Amino acid sequence: MEYESVLIVKPEVFIYKIPPRASNRGYRAADWNLKEPTWTGRMRLVAKGTAVVLKLEDKTSGALFANCPIDTYPGVAIEAVSDSSRYFVIRVQDDNGRSAFLGLGFGDRSDSFDLNVALQDHFKWVKNQEQIEKEKTEPKQELDLGFKEGETIKINMRITKKDGSEGPSRTGKNKGSSGVLPPPPGGLGKIAPPPAAAAATTVRQSPGVSPAHRPAAGGSEWTDYASAGGNQGQQNSANANWVQF
């Protein structure tokens, strides 16, 4: 069951008798007697399903004056004049199917704008409903994503080696960094000198002297060693000079 819905109501509209169209240039409101409308009353735009009807009714009693069935917009049933946005030419019909063309006018441009918008929205909705019904009856075309015979595909893959040479670097340096590690906390990290006792007991070994003939710290033992091995000392000195050279 379809319900009747009211799309727009205007409490006051004007109806005019219009002369026949003289040419194909369209209707002109200036050719009408705008100061003396034929009828004044209420307008209702009513939709029932996809059909829409413009009804002219009495302001007080609501009695029907004329019906204007509209099958498309813009179209023959309702047409805007060429010289004003407040006036239209409508085709009214009676119950016997007889029709006549009348002039329809509004006192304010906003009222005529509302009629335009209401008609456009209705027929846009009708078009969407027709598209939905068409999709229900027609089978949908399935999308074939399979490979056809002889068709090939090429895939570029980046293979990373085990050592990570092809992959992104794991370690990175921040911009502006010199790569030098900061010093440890607590100062510049100076190394303390060795103790004095250890330095006193350290003996410098001459080149060519074996550890078995290392002299003791006392001077007497150094003298005995020098007198007993004079020739060997000269040879060691020669060897030391040769090494230094």
Side-chain angles (χ1 to χ4, degrees), residues 8-16 32 34 41-44 54 56 78 84-88 90 103-116:
I8 188 175
V9 177
K10 293 300 175 182
E12 187 178 54
V13 296
F14 307 99
I15 297 298
Y16 303 91
W32 310 344
L34 299 178
R42 180 180 66 185
M43 186 208 75
R44 289 196 308 145
L54 188 150
L56 301 174
I78 181 169
S84 177
S85 61
R86 294 190 294 119
Y87 297 94
F88 300 85
I90 60 175
L104 171 67
F106 296 92
D108 195 347
R109 285 185 174 84
S110 62
D111 294 336
S112 61
F113 176 79
D114 294 341
L115 177 62
N116 268 310

PDB file of all heavy atoms in Angstrom, residues 8-16 32 34 41-44 54 56 78 84-88 90 103-116:
ATOM      1  N   ILE A   8       5.478  19.843  -0.387  1.00  0.00           N
ATOM      2  CA  ILE A   8       5.562  21.281  -0.150  1.00  0.00           C
ATOM      3  C   ILE A   8       4.135  21.854  -0.124  1.00  0.00           C
ATOM      4  O   ILE A   8       3.239  21.356  -0.830  1.00  0.00           O
ATOM      5  CB  ILE A   8       6.426  21.972  -1.233  1.00  0.00           C
ATOM      6  CG1 ILE A   8       6.680  23.439  -0.869  1.00  0.00           C
ATOM      7  CG2 ILE A   8       5.798  21.857  -2.585  1.00  0.00           C
ATOM      8  CD1 ILE A   8       7.616  24.138  -1.839  1.00  0.00           C
ATOM      9  N   VAL A   9       3.951  22.884   0.681  1.00  0.00           N
ATOM     10  CA  VAL A   9       2.676  23.606   0.764  1.00  0.00           C
ATOM     11  C   VAL A   9       2.972  25.102   0.700  1.00  0.00           C
ATOM     12  O   VAL A   9       3.828  25.601   1.439  1.00  0.00           O
ATOM     13  CB  VAL A   9       1.904  23.272   2.055  1.00  0.00           C
ATOM     14  CG1 VAL A   9       0.620  24.111   2.132  1.00  0.00           C
ATOM     15  CG2 VAL A   9       1.575  21.798   2.129  1.00  0.00           C
ATOM     16  N   LYS A  10       2.241  25.810  -0.167  1.00  0.00           N
ATOM     17  CA  LYS A  10       2.329  27.266  -0.246  1.00  0.00           C
ATOM     18  C   LYS A  10       0.916  27.822  -0.049  1.00  0.00           C
ATOM     19  O   LYS A  10      -0.001  27.482  -0.807  1.00  0.00           O
ATOM     20  CB  LYS A  10       2.899  27.719  -1.592  1.00  0.00           C
ATOM     21  CG  LYS A  10       4.352  27.338  -1.780  1.00  0.00           C
ATOM     22  CD  LYS A  10       5.251  27.955  -0.710  1.00  0.00           C
ATOM     23  CE  LYS A  10       6.685  27.499  -0.810  1.00  0.00           C
ATOM     24  NZ  LYS A  10       7.520  28.067   0.276  1.00  0.00           N
ATOM     25  N   PRO A  11       0.745  28.668   0.973  1.00  0.00           N
ATOM     26  CA  PRO A  11      -0.624  29.112   1.304  1.00  0.00           C
ATOM     27  C   PRO A  11      -1.258  30.045   0.288  1.00  0.00           C
ATOM     28  O   PRO A  11      -2.494  30.172   0.245  1.00  0.00           O
ATOM     29  CB  PRO A  11      -0.442  29.828   2.649  1.00  0.00           C
ATOM     30  CG  PRO A  11       0.984  30.255   2.662  1.00  0.00           C
ATOM     31  CD  PRO A  11       1.733  29.220   1.898  1.00  0.00           C
ATOM     32  N   GLU A  12      -0.434  30.687  -0.558  1.00  0.00           N
ATOM     33  CA  GLU A  12      -1.010  31.629  -1.506  1.00  0.00           C
ATOM     34  C   GLU A  12      -0.271  31.577  -2.835  1.00  0.00           C
ATOM     35  O   GLU A  12       0.935  31.835  -2.892  1.00  0.00           O
ATOM     36  CB  GLU A  12      -0.974  33.055  -0.956  1.00  0.00           C
ATOM     37  CG  GLU A  12      -1.711  34.052  -1.843  1.00  0.00           C
ATOM     38  CD  GLU A  12      -1.722  35.454  -1.261  1.00  0.00           C
ATOM     39  OE1 GLU A  12      -0.613  35.961  -0.949  1.00  0.00           O
ATOM     40  OE2 GLU A  12      -2.809  36.033  -1.120  1.00  0.00           O
ATOM     41  N   VAL A  13      -1.009  31.249  -3.880  1.00  0.00           N
ATOM     42  CA  VAL A  13      -0.491  31.272  -5.246  1.00  0.00           C
ATOM     43  C   VAL A  13      -1.526  31.970  -6.121  1.00  0.00           C
ATOM     44  O   VAL A  13      -2.704  32.117  -5.747  1.00  0.00           O
ATOM     45  CB  VAL A  13      -0.197  29.855  -5.781  1.00  0.00           C
ATOM     46  CG1 VAL A  13       0.905  29.197  -4.982  1.00  0.00           C
ATOM     47  CG2 VAL A  13      -1.467  29.008  -5.793  1.00  0.00           C
ATOM     48  N   PHE A  14      -1.089  32.361  -7.323  1.00  0.00           N
ATOM     49  CA  PHE A  14      -1.952  33.102  -8.240  1.00  0.00           C
ATOM     50  C   PHE A  14      -2.049  32.341  -9.561  1.00  0.00           C
ATOM     51  O   PHE A  14      -1.032  31.852 -10.086  1.00  0.00           O
ATOM     52  CB  PHE A  14      -1.412  34.509  -8.485  1.00  0.00           C
ATOM     53  CG  PHE A  14      -1.154  35.285  -7.214  1.00  0.00           C
ATOM     54  CD1 PHE A  14       0.130  35.379  -6.685  1.00  0.00           C
ATOM     55  CD2 PHE A  14      -2.200  35.904  -6.554  1.00  0.00           C
ATOM     56  CE1 PHE A  14       0.356  36.085  -5.527  1.00  0.00           C
ATOM     57  CE2 PHE A  14      -1.984  36.618  -5.385  1.00  0.00           C
ATOM     58  CZ  PHE A  14      -0.695  36.715  -4.866  1.00  0.00           C
ATOM     59  N   ILE A  15      -3.288  32.263 -10.101  1.00  0.00           N
ATOM     60  CA  ILE A  15      -3.542  31.590 -11.371  1.00  0.00           C
ATOM     61  C   ILE A  15      -3.997  32.636 -12.387  1.00  0.00           C
ATOM     62  O   ILE A  15      -4.838  33.502 -12.096  1.00  0.00           O
ATOM     63  CB  ILE A  15      -4.621  30.494 -11.213  1.00  0.00           C
ATOM     64  CG1 ILE A  15      -4.115  29.424 -10.249  1.00  0.00           C
ATOM     65  CG2 ILE A  15      -4.955  29.863 -12.560  1.00  0.00           C
ATOM     66  CD1 ILE A  15      -2.864  28.693 -10.685  1.00  0.00           C
ATOM     67  N   TYR A  16      -3.421  32.500 -13.616  1.00  0.00           N
ATOM     68  CA  TYR A  16      -3.697  33.465 -14.673  1.00  0.00           C
ATOM     69  C   TYR A  16      -4.134  32.720 -15.936  1.00  0.00           C
ATOM     70  O   TYR A  16      -3.661  31.598 -16.217  1.00  0.00           O
ATOM     71  CB  TYR A  16      -2.461  34.302 -15.009  1.00  0.00           C
ATOM     72  CG  TYR A  16      -1.876  35.053 -13.833  1.00  0.00           C
ATOM     73  CD1 TYR A  16      -0.886  34.481 -13.044  1.00  0.00           C
ATOM     74  CD2 TYR A  16      -2.323  36.339 -13.536  1.00  0.00           C
ATOM     75  CE1 TYR A  16      -0.346  35.181 -11.983  1.00  0.00           C
ATOM     76  CE2 TYR A  16      -1.789  37.049 -12.467  1.00  0.00           C
ATOM     77  CZ  TYR A  16      -0.800  36.455 -11.689  1.00  0.00           C
ATOM     78  OH  TYR A  16      -0.280  37.138 -10.626  1.00  0.00           O
ATOM     79  N   TRP A  32       0.973  38.449 -19.652  1.00  0.00           N
ATOM     80  CA  TRP A  32      -0.210  38.170 -18.866  1.00  0.00           C
ATOM     81  C   TRP A  32      -0.684  39.454 -18.171  1.00  0.00           C
ATOM     82  O   TRP A  32       0.070  40.413 -18.018  1.00  0.00           O
ATOM     83  CB  TRP A  32       0.051  37.095 -17.821  1.00  0.00           C
ATOM     84  CG  TRP A  32       0.705  35.854 -18.362  1.00  0.00           C
ATOM     85  CD1 TRP A  32       0.792  35.477 -19.664  1.00  0.00           C
ATOM     86  CD2 TRP A  32       1.368  34.854 -17.598  1.00  0.00           C
ATOM     87  NE1 TRP A  32       1.465  34.286 -19.779  1.00  0.00           N
ATOM     88  CE2 TRP A  32       1.838  33.869 -18.515  1.00  0.00           C
ATOM     89  CE3 TRP A  32       1.621  34.655 -16.256  1.00  0.00           C
ATOM     90  CZ2 TRP A  32       2.520  32.733 -18.124  1.00  0.00           C
ATOM     91  CZ3 TRP A  32       2.295  33.516 -15.857  1.00  0.00           C
ATOM     92  CH2 TRP A  32       2.749  32.568 -16.779  1.00  0.00           C
ATOM     93  N   LEU A  34      -0.895  40.507 -14.983  1.00  0.00           N
ATOM     94  CA  LEU A  34      -0.429  40.082 -13.660  1.00  0.00           C
ATOM     95  C   LEU A  34      -1.168  40.775 -12.528  1.00  0.00           C
ATOM     96  O   LEU A  34      -1.211  40.243 -11.406  1.00  0.00           O
ATOM     97  CB  LEU A  34       1.076  40.348 -13.549  1.00  0.00           C
ATOM     98  CG  LEU A  34       1.956  39.608 -14.557  1.00  0.00           C
ATOM     99  CD1 LEU A  34       3.419  40.001 -14.379  1.00  0.00           C
ATOM    100  CD2 LEU A  34       1.777  38.108 -14.436  1.00  0.00           C
ATOM    101  N   GLY A  41      -5.370  30.984  -4.355  1.00  0.00           N
ATOM    102  CA  GLY A  41      -5.637  29.916  -3.405  1.00  0.00           C
ATOM    103  C   GLY A  41      -4.351  29.272  -2.916  1.00  0.00           C
ATOM    104  O   GLY A  41      -3.257  29.857  -2.959  1.00  0.00           O
ATOM    105  N   ARG A  42      -4.484  28.043  -2.425  1.00  0.00           N
ATOM    106  CA  ARG A  42      -3.366  27.297  -1.827  1.00  0.00           C
ATOM    107  C   ARG A  42      -2.842  26.268  -2.821  1.00  0.00           C
ATOM    108  O   ARG A  42      -3.617  25.679  -3.590  1.00  0.00           O
ATOM    109  CB  ARG A  42      -3.849  26.611  -0.547  1.00  0.00           C
ATOM    110  CG  ARG A  42      -2.798  25.797   0.170  1.00  0.00           C
ATOM    111  CD  ARG A  42      -3.409  25.172   1.419  1.00  0.00           C
ATOM    112  NE  ARG A  42      -4.435  24.187   1.081  1.00  0.00           N
ATOM    113  CZ  ARG A  42      -5.190  23.569   1.992  1.00  0.00           C
ATOM    114  NH1 ARG A  42      -5.073  23.872   3.277  1.00  0.00           N
ATOM    115  NH2 ARG A  42      -6.099  22.673   1.613  1.00  0.00           N
ATOM    116  N   MET A  43      -1.553  26.013  -2.743  1.00  0.00           N
ATOM    117  CA  MET A  43      -0.921  24.990  -3.583  1.00  0.00           C
ATOM    118  C   MET A  43      -0.291  23.922  -2.698  1.00  0.00           C
ATOM    119  O   MET A  43       0.393  24.232  -1.714  1.00  0.00           O
ATOM    120  CB  MET A  43       0.170  25.607  -4.473  1.00  0.00           C
ATOM    121  CG  MET A  43       0.780  24.629  -5.471  1.00  0.00           C
ATOM    122  SD  MET A  43       2.484  25.058  -5.914  1.00  0.00           S
ATOM    123  CE  MET A  43       3.355  24.565  -4.443  1.00  0.00           C
ATOM    124  N   ARG A  44      -0.541  22.662  -3.066  1.00  0.00           N
ATOM    125  CA  ARG A  44       0.106  21.528  -2.387  1.00  0.00           C
ATOM    126  C   ARG A  44       0.750  20.630  -3.432  1.00  0.00           C
ATOM    127  O   ARG A  44       0.125  20.301  -4.450  1.00  0.00           O
ATOM    128  CB  ARG A  44      -0.898  20.714  -1.569  1.00  0.00           C
ATOM    129  CG  ARG A  44      -1.408  21.401  -0.341  1.00  0.00           C
ATOM    130  CD  ARG A  44      -2.066  20.402   0.611  1.00  0.00           C
ATOM    131  NE  ARG A  44      -3.061  19.590  -0.064  1.00  0.00           N
ATOM    132  CZ  ARG A  44      -3.293  18.298   0.224  1.00  0.00           C
ATOM    133  NH1 ARG A  44      -2.581  17.679   1.154  1.00  0.00           N
ATOM    134  NH2 ARG A  44      -4.251  17.624  -0.413  1.00  0.00           N
ATOM    135  N   LEU A  54       0.545  18.330  -8.507  1.00  0.00           N
ATOM    136  CA  LEU A  54       0.423  19.677  -7.964  1.00  0.00           C
ATOM    137  C   LEU A  54      -1.078  19.975  -7.869  1.00  0.00           C
ATOM    138  O   LEU A  54      -1.788  19.977  -8.897  1.00  0.00           O
ATOM    139  CB  LEU A  54       1.126  20.688  -8.875  1.00  0.00           C
ATOM    140  CG  LEU A  54       1.271  22.120  -8.383  1.00  0.00           C
ATOM    141  CD1 LEU A  54       2.546  22.744  -8.965  1.00  0.00           C
ATOM    142  CD2 LEU A  54       0.069  22.986  -8.793  1.00  0.00           C
ATOM    143  N   LEU A  56      -4.219  22.507  -6.667  1.00  0.00           N
ATOM    144  CA  LEU A  56      -4.667  23.859  -6.354  1.00  0.00           C
ATOM    145  C   LEU A  56      -5.973  23.741  -5.566  1.00  0.00           C
ATOM    146  O   LEU A  56      -6.965  23.179  -6.073  1.00  0.00           O
ATOM    147  CB  LEU A  56      -4.864  24.672  -7.636  1.00  0.00           C
ATOM    148  CG  LEU A  56      -3.621  24.820  -8.518  1.00  0.00           C
ATOM    149  CD1 LEU A  56      -3.972  25.520  -9.825  1.00  0.00           C
ATOM    150  CD2 LEU A  56      -2.514  25.557  -7.789  1.00  0.00           C
ATOM    151  N   ILE A  78       4.868  21.204 -16.399  1.00  0.00           N
ATOM    152  CA  ILE A  78       5.217  22.450 -15.713  1.00  0.00           C
ATOM    153  C   ILE A  78       6.470  23.013 -16.376  1.00  0.00           C
ATOM    154  O   ILE A  78       7.469  22.310 -16.555  1.00  0.00           O
ATOM    155  CB  ILE A  78       5.416  22.236 -14.191  1.00  0.00           C
ATOM    156  CG1 ILE A  78       5.763  23.572 -13.512  1.00  0.00           C
ATOM    157  CG2 ILE A  78       6.418  21.152 -13.906  1.00  0.00           C
ATOM    158  CD1 ILE A  78       5.698  23.491 -11.986  1.00  0.00           C
ATOM    159  N   SER A  84      10.960  35.579 -16.014  1.00  0.00           N
ATOM    160  CA  SER A  84      10.835  35.721 -14.565  1.00  0.00           C
ATOM    161  C   SER A  84      11.009  34.362 -13.902  1.00  0.00           C
ATOM    162  O   SER A  84      10.691  33.313 -14.497  1.00  0.00           O
ATOM    163  CB  SER A  84       9.469  36.312 -14.195  1.00  0.00           C
ATOM    164  OG  SER A  84       9.320  36.393 -12.785  1.00  0.00           O
ATOM    165  N   SER A  85      11.549  34.385 -12.659  1.00  0.00           N
ATOM    166  CA  SER A  85      11.704  33.145 -11.898  1.00  0.00           C
ATOM    167  C   SER A  85      10.514  32.868 -10.983  1.00  0.00           C
ATOM    168  O   SER A  85      10.483  31.829 -10.325  1.00  0.00           O
ATOM    169  CB  SER A  85      12.987  33.225 -11.055  1.00  0.00           C
ATOM    170  OG  SER A  85      12.906  34.309 -10.128  1.00  0.00           O
ATOM    171  N   ARG A  86       9.533  33.764 -10.946  1.00  0.00           N
ATOM    172  CA  ARG A  86       8.387  33.582 -10.045  1.00  0.00           C
ATOM    173  C   ARG A  86       7.155  32.998 -10.736  1.00  0.00           C
ATOM    174  O   ARG A  86       6.155  32.722 -10.075  1.00  0.00           O
ATOM    175  CB  ARG A  86       8.014  34.927  -9.405  1.00  0.00           C
ATOM    176  CG  ARG A  86       9.076  35.473  -8.488  1.00  0.00           C
ATOM    177  CD  ARG A  86       8.590  36.670  -7.688  1.00  0.00           C
ATOM    178  NE  ARG A  86       8.300  37.832  -8.522  1.00  0.00           N
ATOM    179  CZ  ARG A  86       7.098  38.410  -8.622  1.00  0.00           C
ATOM    180  NH1 ARG A  86       6.077  37.928  -7.952  1.00  0.00           N
ATOM    181  NH2 ARG A  86       6.933  39.467  -9.403  1.00  0.00           N
ATOM    182  N   TYR A  87       7.237  32.774 -12.035  1.00  0.00           N
ATOM    183  CA  TYR A  87       6.049  32.351 -12.786  1.00  0.00           C
ATOM    184  C   TYR A  87       6.340  31.080 -13.593  1.00  0.00           C
ATOM    185  O   TYR A  87       7.443  30.890 -14.125  1.00  0.00           O
ATOM    186  CB  TYR A  87       5.574  33.473 -13.716  1.00  0.00           C
ATOM    187  CG  TYR A  87       5.143  34.711 -12.970  1.00  0.00           C
ATOM    188  CD1 TYR A  87       6.053  35.745 -12.751  1.00  0.00           C
ATOM    189  CD2 TYR A  87       3.844  34.841 -12.483  1.00  0.00           C
ATOM    190  CE1 TYR A  87       5.659  36.885 -12.072  1.00  0.00           C
ATOM    191  CE2 TYR A  87       3.455  35.978 -11.792  1.00  0.00           C
ATOM    192  CZ  TYR A  87       4.367  36.997 -11.583  1.00  0.00           C
ATOM    193  OH  TYR A  87       3.987  38.122 -10.898  1.00  0.00           O
ATOM    194  N   PHE A  88       5.276  30.256 -13.706  1.00  0.00           N
ATOM    195  CA  PHE A  88       5.349  28.990 -14.445  1.00  0.00           C
ATOM    196  C   PHE A  88       4.087  28.850 -15.279  1.00  0.00           C
ATOM    197  O   PHE A  88       3.057  29.498 -15.024  1.00  0.00           O
ATOM    198  CB  PHE A  88       5.446  27.790 -13.488  1.00  0.00           C
ATOM    199  CG  PHE A  88       6.654  27.820 -12.596  1.00  0.00           C
ATOM    200  CD1 PHE A  88       6.627  28.532 -11.394  1.00  0.00           C
ATOM    201  CD2 PHE A  88       7.806  27.131 -12.936  1.00  0.00           C
ATOM    202  CE1 PHE A  88       7.726  28.549 -10.559  1.00  0.00           C
ATOM    203  CE2 PHE A  88       8.913  27.159 -12.114  1.00  0.00           C
ATOM    204  CZ  PHE A  88       8.876  27.870 -10.924  1.00  0.00           C
ATOM    205  N   ILE A  90       1.522  25.776 -16.186  1.00  0.00           N
ATOM    206  CA  ILE A  90       1.189  24.419 -15.775  1.00  0.00           C
ATOM    207  C   ILE A  90       0.062  23.880 -16.654  1.00  0.00           C
ATOM    208  O   ILE A  90      -0.758  24.644 -17.197  1.00  0.00           O
ATOM    209  CB  ILE A  90       0.778  24.354 -14.287  1.00  0.00           C
ATOM    210  CG1 ILE A  90      -0.447  25.238 -14.038  1.00  0.00           C
ATOM    211  CG2 ILE A  90       1.949  24.769 -13.406  1.00  0.00           C
ATOM    212  CD1 ILE A  90      -0.991  25.141 -12.609  1.00  0.00           C
ATOM    213  N   GLY A 103      -1.364  29.954 -16.124  1.00  0.00           N
ATOM    214  CA  GLY A 103      -0.183  30.579 -15.548  1.00  0.00           C
ATOM    215  C   GLY A 103      -0.215  30.471 -14.026  1.00  0.00           C
ATOM    216  O   GLY A 103      -1.257  30.692 -13.398  1.00  0.00           O
ATOM    217  N   LEU A 104       0.925  30.101 -13.415  1.00  0.00           N
ATOM    218  CA  LEU A 104       1.054  29.974 -11.967  1.00  0.00           C
ATOM    219  C   LEU A 104       2.098  30.965 -11.495  1.00  0.00           C
ATOM    220  O   LEU A 104       3.218  30.992 -12.031  1.00  0.00           O
ATOM    221  CB  LEU A 104       1.464  28.544 -11.587  1.00  0.00           C
ATOM    222  CG  LEU A 104       1.840  28.295 -10.128  1.00  0.00           C
ATOM    223  CD1 LEU A 104       0.629  28.453  -9.223  1.00  0.00           C
ATOM    224  CD2 LEU A 104       2.452  26.913  -9.963  1.00  0.00           C
ATOM    225  N   GLY A 105       1.753  31.778 -10.479  1.00  0.00           N
ATOM    226  CA  GLY A 105       2.685  32.776  -9.989  1.00  0.00           C
ATOM    227  C   GLY A 105       2.787  32.764  -8.476  1.00  0.00           C
ATOM    228  O   GLY A 105       1.858  32.344  -7.771  1.00  0.00           O
ATOM    229  N   PHE A 106       3.963  33.202  -7.970  1.00  0.00           N
ATOM    230  CA  PHE A 106       4.220  33.311  -6.532  1.00  0.00           C
ATOM    231  C   PHE A 106       4.525  34.760  -6.194  1.00  0.00           C
ATOM    232  O   PHE A 106       5.097  35.495  -7.003  1.00  0.00           O
ATOM    233  CB  PHE A 106       5.403  32.430  -6.121  1.00  0.00           C
ATOM    234  CG  PHE A 106       5.168  30.967  -6.320  1.00  0.00           C
ATOM    235  CD1 PHE A 106       5.546  30.348  -7.512  1.00  0.00           C
ATOM    236  CD2 PHE A 106       4.570  30.214  -5.330  1.00  0.00           C
ATOM    237  CE1 PHE A 106       5.328  29.002  -7.695  1.00  0.00           C
ATOM    238  CE2 PHE A 106       4.345  28.851  -5.516  1.00  0.00           C
ATOM    239  CZ  PHE A 106       4.731  28.243  -6.696  1.00  0.00           C
ATOM    240  N   GLY A 107       4.169  35.157  -4.969  1.00  0.00           N
ATOM    241  CA  GLY A 107       4.476  36.504  -4.540  1.00  0.00           C
ATOM    242  C   GLY A 107       5.920  36.698  -4.144  1.00  0.00           C
ATOM    243  O   GLY A 107       6.422  37.827  -4.141  1.00  0.00           O
ATOM    244  N   ASP A 108       6.629  35.619  -3.834  1.00  0.00           N
ATOM    245  CA  ASP A 108       8.027  35.699  -3.392  1.00  0.00           C
ATOM    246  C   ASP A 108       8.861  34.707  -4.209  1.00  0.00           C
ATOM    247  O   ASP A 108       8.404  33.583  -4.513  1.00  0.00           O
ATOM    248  CB  ASP A 108       8.128  35.374  -1.899  1.00  0.00           C
ATOM    249  CG  ASP A 108       9.467  35.784  -1.307  1.00  0.00           C
ATOM    250  OD1 ASP A 108      10.393  36.080  -2.092  1.00  0.00           O
ATOM    251  OD2 ASP A 108       9.591  35.801  -0.068  1.00  0.00           O
ATOM    252  N   ARG A 109      10.094  35.114  -4.524  1.00  0.00           N
ATOM    253  CA  ARG A 109      10.984  34.222  -5.284  1.00  0.00           C
ATOM    254  C   ARG A 109      11.370  32.978  -4.487  1.00  0.00           C
ATOM    255  O   ARG A 109      11.678  31.941  -5.069  1.00  0.00           O
ATOM    256  CB  ARG A 109      12.237  34.978  -5.729  1.00  0.00           C
ATOM    257  CG  ARG A 109      11.992  35.937  -6.879  1.00  0.00           C
ATOM    258  CD  ARG A 109      13.281  36.577  -7.363  1.00  0.00           C
ATOM    259  NE  ARG A 109      13.072  37.397  -8.547  1.00  0.00           N
ATOM    260  CZ  ARG A 109      12.670  38.652  -8.537  1.00  0.00           C
ATOM    261  NH1 ARG A 109      12.440  39.254  -7.364  1.00  0.00           N
ATOM    262  NH2 ARG A 109      12.484  39.317  -9.659  1.00  0.00           N
ATOM    263  N   SER A 110      11.419  33.091  -3.184  1.00  0.00           N
ATOM    264  CA  SER A 110      11.781  31.921  -2.374  1.00  0.00           C
ATOM    265  C   SER A 110      10.745  30.818  -2.499  1.00  0.00           C
ATOM    266  O   SER A 110      11.074  29.624  -2.431  1.00  0.00           O
ATOM    267  CB  SER A 110      11.942  32.328  -0.909  1.00  0.00           C
ATOM    268  OG  SER A 110      10.718  32.821  -0.386  1.00  0.00           O
ATOM    269  N   ASP A 111       9.466  31.158  -2.713  1.00  0.00           N
ATOM    270  CA  ASP A 111       8.428  30.137  -2.882  1.00  0.00           C
ATOM    271  C   ASP A 111       8.615  29.376  -4.185  1.00  0.00           C
ATOM    272  O   ASP A 111       8.484  28.143  -4.235  1.00  0.00           O
ATOM    273  CB  ASP A 111       7.046  30.792  -2.849  1.00  0.00           C
ATOM    274  CG  ASP A 111       6.715  31.396  -1.495  1.00  0.00           C
ATOM    275  OD1 ASP A 111       7.302  30.935  -0.494  1.00  0.00           O
ATOM    276  OD2 ASP A 111       5.888  32.326  -1.448  1.00  0.00           O
ATOM    277  N   SER A 112       8.954  30.091  -5.253  1.00  0.00           N
ATOM    278  CA  SER A 112       9.196  29.411  -6.525  1.00  0.00           C
ATOM    279  C   SER A 112      10.471  28.558  -6.459  1.00  0.00           C
ATOM    280  O   SER A 112      10.542  27.488  -7.075  1.00  0.00           O
ATOM    281  CB  SER A 112       9.299  30.429  -7.655  1.00  0.00           C
ATOM    282  OG  SER A 112      10.381  31.324  -7.420  1.00  0.00           O
ATOM    283  N   PHE A 113      11.462  29.022  -5.697  1.00  0.00           N
ATOM    284  CA  PHE A 113      12.680  28.241  -5.524  1.00  0.00           C
ATOM    285  C   PHE A 113      12.381  26.937  -4.782  1.00  0.00           C
ATOM    286  O   PHE A 113      12.919  25.875  -5.134  1.00  0.00           O
ATOM    287  CB  PHE A 113      13.710  29.075  -4.765  1.00  0.00           C
ATOM    288  CG  PHE A 113      14.974  28.339  -4.437  1.00  0.00           C
ATOM    289  CD1 PHE A 113      15.958  28.148  -5.399  1.00  0.00           C
ATOM    290  CD2 PHE A 113      15.181  27.811  -3.164  1.00  0.00           C
ATOM    291  CE1 PHE A 113      17.122  27.463  -5.101  1.00  0.00           C
ATOM    292  CE2 PHE A 113      16.335  27.122  -2.866  1.00  0.00           C
ATOM    293  CZ  PHE A 113      17.315  26.948  -3.835  1.00  0.00           C
ATOM    294  N   ASP A 114      11.543  26.994  -3.768  1.00  0.00           N
ATOM    295  CA  ASP A 114      11.162  25.785  -3.027  1.00  0.00           C
ATOM    296  C   ASP A 114      10.462  24.772  -3.921  1.00  0.00           C
ATOM    297  O   ASP A 114      10.687  23.555  -3.797  1.00  0.00           O
ATOM    298  CB  ASP A 114      10.255  26.153  -1.853  1.00  0.00           C
ATOM    299  CG  ASP A 114      10.974  26.972  -0.793  1.00  0.00           C
ATOM    300  OD1 ASP A 114      12.225  26.952  -0.780  1.00  0.00           O
ATOM    301  OD2 ASP A 114      10.293  27.636   0.007  1.00  0.00           O
ATOM    302  N   LEU A 115       9.615  25.255  -4.819  1.00  0.00           N
ATOM    303  CA  LEU A 115       8.948  24.342  -5.750  1.00  0.00           C
ATOM    304  C   LEU A 115       9.959  23.676  -6.670  1.00  0.00           C
ATOM    305  O   LEU A 115       9.876  22.465  -6.926  1.00  0.00           O
ATOM    306  CB  LEU A 115       7.903  25.109  -6.556  1.00  0.00           C
ATOM    307  CG  LEU A 115       7.166  24.318  -7.635  1.00  0.00           C
ATOM    308  CD1 LEU A 115       6.393  23.173  -7.013  1.00  0.00           C
ATOM    309  CD2 LEU A 115       6.242  25.229  -8.446  1.00  0.00           C
ATOM    310  N   ASN A 116      10.910  24.432  -7.165  1.00  0.00           N
ATOM    311  CA  ASN A 116      11.956  23.859  -8.025  1.00  0.00           C
ATOM    312  C   ASN A 116      12.724  22.758  -7.310  1.00  0.00           C
ATOM    313  O   ASN A 116      12.944  21.666  -7.861  1.00  0.00           O
ATOM    314  CB  ASN A 116      12.922  24.968  -8.460  1.00  0.00           C
ATOM    315  CG  ASN A 116      12.534  25.597  -9.781  1.00  0.00           C
ATOM    316  OD1 ASN A 116      12.298  24.905 -10.755  1.00  0.00           O
ATOM    317  ND2 ASN A 116      12.468  26.915  -9.804  1.00  0.00           N
TER     318      ASN A 116
END
